[in-house]
Amino acid sequence: MQLEGKTVSLVLGSGGARGFAHVGVIEELERRKCKIKAISGCSIGALVGGVYAAGRLRPFQKWIKSLTKMEVLKLVDFTFTRQGFVRGERVYEHIESLIGTWNIEELDIPFTAVAVDLHSNQEVWMRRGSLMEAIRASAAIPTVLTPVNIRGRQLVDGAVLNPVPIEPVLHEKNDLLIVVNVVARPPKNEWVVKNYKGHSNEWYRNKWVDMLPNSSSFRDRFNYLGIVNKSVELMQEKITDYSLIQYKPDIIINVPRDVCGMYEFYRAKEVIKAGKRACNEALDRYVMKTEDKVSFQQFSTFKSAVWQKMPLTLRQALQNNK
């Protein structure tokens, strides 16, 4: 079975810097001539999905591949409020300069960014209005990035309730439902690029702590952030498992979570390659499984036809010899 020409509803999950693997997945789907006809995403998935829907994946990819540790650090604009440590103005202004100003309803591909309303405790599916506002709200990691206020709603990262938002694309009548999970459990025979010496969230943590005001309360809150992030990741892993069991996508592309740290945005080249490889493996498995199923059905049909054409006496003889 060939995938060329198949239409796809694509779901892009959360995962911080690991979400750069989404770029590799999209590239591989395009290489296989699949047609992405609908996208939903949250957090980094909403960012990559929105950039692609706006037709600006190439300049975005060029930029993230050029990022170094220090350039990532310079994009962080601290605010030191109770709602979060980072405003996010610098990075999103740069992203908007790359992709332009869009409203979601103007995009060629139906797109949904998923966030969470802190007051109603409900998911919010953003399908209209400013693309950049929707991306910012969907990626507003609690305790890290400040919430985004849209039409009186205080919105944060959609991954809080739905790390792989499948529901927004279920109504789309496409050939394949493909989900990309970038925080999957590492395989036993790992092929991902392992962390190099000095490549870890610890480096950013130390740098950020040095930039904090000389206040024990700020520093205590920042140190506590690591515990919060770990707890949230464990919670999101379980929610993802339940979603995949409930909705049974046609293809699940699992990118191991140890491909990089959550804030290692300077490792885009490696992570994009990991996304391509994970996509390739998942698509190959799907094709083989489908071809085996088709071959078995064809054999069963052929066997039945031959049996029906046999003389009755021969069929009886064969049954007696069983």
Side-chain angles (χ1 to χ4, degrees):
M1 174 189 175
Q2 298 300 317
L3 294 174
E4 183 175 345
K6 295 289 184 182
T7 57
V8 173
S9 295
L10 185 62
V11 180
L12 304 177
S14 65
R18 304 161 186 132
F20 284 160
H22 294 317
V23 175
V25 168
I26 290 172
E27 284 193 325
E28 194 57 33
L29 288 173
E30 288 191 324
R31 188 184 72 80
R32 298 248 190 156
K33 309 296 185 187
C34 293
K35 299 177 181 179
I36 301 172
K37 292 296 187 179
I39 301 174
S40 68
C42 70
S43 200
I44 187 71
L47 171 58
V48 175
V51 168
Y52 177 73
R56 302 294 290 168
L57 190 65
R58 280 195 174 87
F60 175 76
Q61 181 178 177
K62 182 178 178 181
W63 172 58
I64 62 176
K65 281 185 173 181
S66 71
L67 290 174
T68 64
K69 280 185 180 181
M70 290 309 300
E71 286 170 341
V72 171
L73 192 64
K74 289 176 183 177
L75 288 169
V76 178
D77 45 1
F78 288 103
T79 180
F80 309 119
T81 67
R82 292 183 177 181
Q83 294 182 319
F85 285 99
V86 181
R87 286 192 299 271
E89 297 292 339
R90 292 177 192 167
V91 66
Y92 287 118
E93 283 176 3
H94 188 83
I95 292 170
E96 189 166 17
S97 72
L98 290 174
I99 70 173
T101 303
W102 292 86
N103 283 329
I104 297 173
E105 59 269 27
E106 297 172 339
L107 302 174
D108 292 333
I109 300 173
F111 171 72
T112 306
V114 177
V116 170
D117 185 335
L118 286 178
H119 295 308
S120 68
N121 302 320
Q122 293 179 333
E123 285 182 43
V124 177
W125 296 0
M126 290 171 284
R127 291 171 163 165
R128 300 184 64 82
S130 167
L131 174 63
M132 282 308 305
E133 271 195 351
I135 290 172
R136 289 185 65 173
S138 182
I141 304 170
T143 73
V144 179
L145 288 163
T146 53
V148 176
N149 289 300
I150 300 179
R151 293 185 289 278
R153 287 178 158 181
Q154 194 173 38
L155 304 180
V156 296
D157 195 335
V160 171
L161 291 179
N162 200 348
V164 284
I166 298 172
E167 298 95 322
V169 295
L170 287 178
H171 68 286
E172 301 286 350
K173 299 184 184 303
N174 292 313
D175 298 320
L176 297 172
L177 171 60
I178 299 179
V179 174
V180 188
N181 174 21
V182 296
V183 290
R185 297 177 185 86
K188 292 181 180 179
N189 299 318
E190 297 184 35
W191 47 258
V192 297
V193 179
K194 301 299 290 183
N195 285 353
Y196 295 127
K197 186 176 181 181
H199 279 198
S200 70
N201 293 330
E202 191 69 18
W203 186 87
Y204 279 116
R205 177 186 171 282
N206 293 335
K207 288 288 185 182
W208 287 343
V209 167
D210 289 342
M211 297 171 67
L212 292 172
N214 188 18
S215 165
S216 60
S217 62
F218 275 123
R219 292 173 186 270
D220 288 345
R221 281 178 58 204
F222 195 82
N223 290 333
Y224 183 66
L225 180 61
I227 299 174
V228 172
N229 284 340
K230 182 62 177 176
S231 301
V232 170
E233 283 191 355
L234 290 172
M235 175 191 70
Q236 291 175 358
E237 180 182 300
K238 290 300 180 184
I239 296 174
T240 297
D241 288 344
Y242 293 138
S243 293
L244 296 178
I245 291 170
Q246 180 178 1
Y247 295 108
K248 297 179 176 59
D250 297 298
I251 301 173
I252 302 171
I253 299 172
N254 285 316
V255 180
R257 58 173 172 257
D258 63 352
V259 70
C260 75
M262 185 169 181
Y263 302 113
E264 292 181 320
F265 293 99
Y266 55 89
R267 298 183 65 189
K269 291 180 182 178
E270 303 159 59
V271 178
I272 290 170
K273 286 182 181 178
K276 286 184 178 182
R277 181 163 181 171
C279 182
N280 244 325
E281 292 182 354
L283 296 182
D284 287 345
R285 282 194 300 270
Y286 176 79
V287 169
M288 289 179 63
K289 182 179 178 181
T290 306
E291 287 179 344
D292 288 345
K293 184 177 180 180
V294 170
S295 296
F296 178 77
Q297 290 173 340
Q298 290 174 339
F299 174 74
S300 297
T301 302
F302 172 75
K303 180 181 175 182
S304 177
V306 170
W307 179 262
Q308 292 300 324
K309 290 181 180 180
M310 283 184 182
L312 179 60
T313 54
L314 179 56
R315 277 188 281 172
Q316 289 174 340
L318 290 172
Q319 286 177 331
N320 292 333
N321 288 332
K322 286 184 178 180

